[in-house]
Amino acid sequence: PCVFPVLGIKILGFVQQAGAERRKVVLHGLTFTLGVVLSFWALAGILALIVVGMAFVPGWLFDLAAAGVIAGF
């Protein structure tokens, strides 16, 4: 939920750059996109390390994927 206000703020930032130099706007957009992609890759890597490290605990992670648990969220 806390991401939604940040996205709105970022979109307003892009709108404010409407009259700026095209190269600068493209560079900002690419930098933002790269930051988002790298952040998600980092989170995926951390999750992968947790899953590999917790493999000795049988099935606890799969319990979180159960339909009842997801519906509870």
Side-chain angles (χ1 to χ4, degrees):
C2 64
V3 175
F4 294 127
V6 174
L7 290 175
I9 292 169
K10 193 59 189 168
I11 290 170
L12 287 175
F14 285 139
V15 170
Q16 288 176 349
Q17 293 180 3
E21 180 183 338
R22 179 173 168 73
R23 183 181 187 287
K24 181 180 177 183
V25 173
V26 170
L27 183 61
H28 281 199
L30 290 175
T31 303
F32 176 74
T33 303
L34 183 63
V36 170
V37 170
L38 288 177
S39 296
F40 278 101
W41 274 107
L43 289 173
I46 291 169
L47 181 60
L49 290 174
I50 290 172
V51 169
V52 169
M54 297 297 283
F56 63 88
V57 179
W60 73 269
L61 192 60
F62 295 107
D63 292 337
L64 294 177
V69 174
I70 293 173
F73 284 133

